Amino acid sequence: MASAQSNFDEILSRVRGAAKRVTVAKRRVAEVLIESGTDLTADEITQRVQGRSPDVSPSTVYRILEEFEALGIIVHAHLGRAAAVYHLAGTVHGHLVCEQCGATVEIPARDFDKLSRSLASSYGFVLDRHHVALSGICVVCRAASSPNPAT
Amino acid sequence: MASAQSNFDEILSRVRGAAKRVTVAKRRVAEVLIESGTDLTADEITQRVQGRSPDVSPSTVYRILEEFEALGIIVHAHLGRAAAVYHLAGTVHGHLVCEQCGATVEIPARDFDKLSRSLASSYGFVLDRHHVALSGICVVCRAASSPNPAT
DNA sequence: TTAGATGCAAAGACTTTGCGCACTT
DNA sequence: AAGTGCGCAAAGTCTTTGCATCTAA
């Protein structure tokens, strides 16, 4: 398990390796991504970055996220109609999104192993397990909303 | 397998049953959804509707789609960053979306049966199989882009 | 020095909403 | 006749882009 510091260095190293420049804004975005264990929207990232460097604009954050993703540092996923979420590429996982309460649960990528193999053999489709977002009803809402489960 | 006509009648019947009115625009949207075997975006639906009734506005189409969905007539899914797609609730299926070429493949819901059971027992999460959209690389792009698969 | 990165603001894509008139029932 | 549904246009989200300026290397 990599430390926050080594993660940070690794990110900056990749940026330099791509002949890109290391800027204050990029350091901030990297910090925020590393410190947050969970997925963040671009807006959340922007707000946290601005907590330390108020002058960083949303458009810059989008540009940095795009660059980081191109460098394989982060990945994003679309969890329904709302904004996309971003997280470090290292933490590969899928998402369960509750259609009722909007809660999201992160689940290990290995839960998709079987499905992944099945899709590959049936359709030749290689599943991107970073990017999986599944809709449904979570335990809580299920208990609350269906006292008598439909026949 | 229901005929187009019976599908159409069924839809109008549900609309009436909900004390909603049957209008020209609703008939057109129903026709388009029935005639198209595949998923359509709101914009595609609007264009096809306007092919016959040019005065129907996009906002009306959105309102009708919302109503139809509330009545269980159709379902929608989000296939990545682009617009949502809609289709009749009868044709339950999941989607494979290619990250490179954008192609989407519809696959039967039963492909998710195993995964669905597994998620239910592990997380108490009831998967909505209408709404599944998986990202990855399709056969074509895979063949084209990776002559030598990475180690 | 100098080309990439940024801030600001405007534009874009998709969707929702307000308002007064038309059409369904 | 009564009230839902509609067209039009404006507003709302989320994201991208243009441009002049600033800054990392």
Side-chain angles (χ1 to χ4, degrees):
Chain A
M1 186 177 301
S3 71
Q5 185 56 50
S6 70
N7 267 334
F8 188 74
D9 293 342
E10 165 73 9
I11 291 175
L12 298 191
S13 160
R14 289 210 212 180
V15 170
R16 278 190 248 273
K20 301 286 185 177
R21 293 179 182 174
V22 173
T23 63
V24 173
K26 290 182 190 177
R27 289 178 205 272
R28 292 286 173 271
V29 171
E31 288 167 9
V32 167
L33 289 168
I34 291 168
E35 288 169 12
S36 166
T38 57
D39 302 323
L40 297 174
T41 63
D43 187 58
E44 289 168 339
I45 294 169
T46 300
Q47 290 186 28
R48 298 187 187 197
V49 164
Q50 290 181 336
R52 303 174 197 175
S53 299
D55 288 342
V56 174
S57 74
S59 59
T60 297
V61 171
Y62 275 107
R63 283 189 272 232
I64 291 173
L65 291 173
E66 185 181 20
E67 178 183 315
F68 281 10
E69 187 151 29
L71 295 177
I73 295 168
I74 62 174
V75 295
H76 78 276
H78 297 274
L79 271 47
R81 64 188 62 198
V85 294
Y86 299 79
H87 62 78
L88 293 181
T91 43
V92 179
H93 60 262
H95 304 86
L96 303 181
V97 186
C98 180
E99 293 171 351
Q100 290 195 4
C101 68
T104 71
V105 181
E106 297 177 7
I107 62 177
R110 61 176 311 160
D111 281 351
F112 302 116
D113 284 352
K114 280 187 204 159
L115 177 69
S116 179
R117 277 194 290 273
S118 150
L119 294 178
S121 64
S122 302
Y123 308 99
F125 185 87
V126 180
L127 181 65
D128 175 359
R129 299 179 311 164
H130 297 240
H131 210 280
V132 177
L134 300 171
S135 289
I137 307 295
C138 72
V139 217
V140 180
C141 288
R142 199 183 164 207
S145 67
S146 59
N148 63 338
T151 314
Chain B
M1 186 177 300
S3 72
Q5 185 56 50
S6 70
N7 267 334
F8 188 73
D9 292 342
E10 165 72 9
I11 291 176
L12 298 193
S13 160
R14 289 209 211 181
V15 170
R16 278 189 249 272
K20 300 287 185 178
R21 293 178 181 174
V22 174
T23 63
V24 173
K26 290 182 191 178
R27 288 179 205 272
R28 291 286 173 271
V29 171
E31 287 167 10
V32 167
L33 289 169
I34 290 168
E35 288 169 12
S36 165
T38 57
D39 302 323
L40 297 173
T41 63
D43 187 59
E44 288 167 339
I45 293 169
T46 301
Q47 289 186 29
R48 297 187 187 196
V49 165
Q50 290 182 336
R52 302 174 198 175
S53 300
D55 288 342
V56 175
S57 74
S59 59
T60 296
V61 172
Y62 275 107
R63 282 191 271 233
I64 292 173
L65 291 173
E66 185 181 18
E67 178 182 315
F68 281 11
E69 187 150 29
L71 294 178
I73 295 168
I74 62 173
V75 294
H76 78 275
H78 297 273
L79 271 47
R81 66 188 61 198
V85 294
Y86 299 79
H87 62 80
L88 292 181
T91 44
V92 179
H93 60 262
H95 305 85
L96 304 180
V97 186
C98 181
E99 292 171 352
Q100 290 195 3
C101 67
T104 72
V105 181
E106 297 176 10
I107 62 178
R110 59 177 311 159
D111 281 350
F112 303 117
D113 284 350
K114 279 186 205 160
L115 177 69
S116 180
R117 276 195 289 273
S118 149
L119 294 178
S121 64
S122 302
Y123 308 99
F125 185 87
V126 181
L127 182 65
D128 175 358
R129 298 180 312 167
H130 297 240
H131 211 280
V132 177
L134 300 171
S135 288
I137 307 296
C138 74
V139 217
V140 180
C141 289
R142 200 184 163 206
S145 66
S146 59
N148 62 337
T151 313

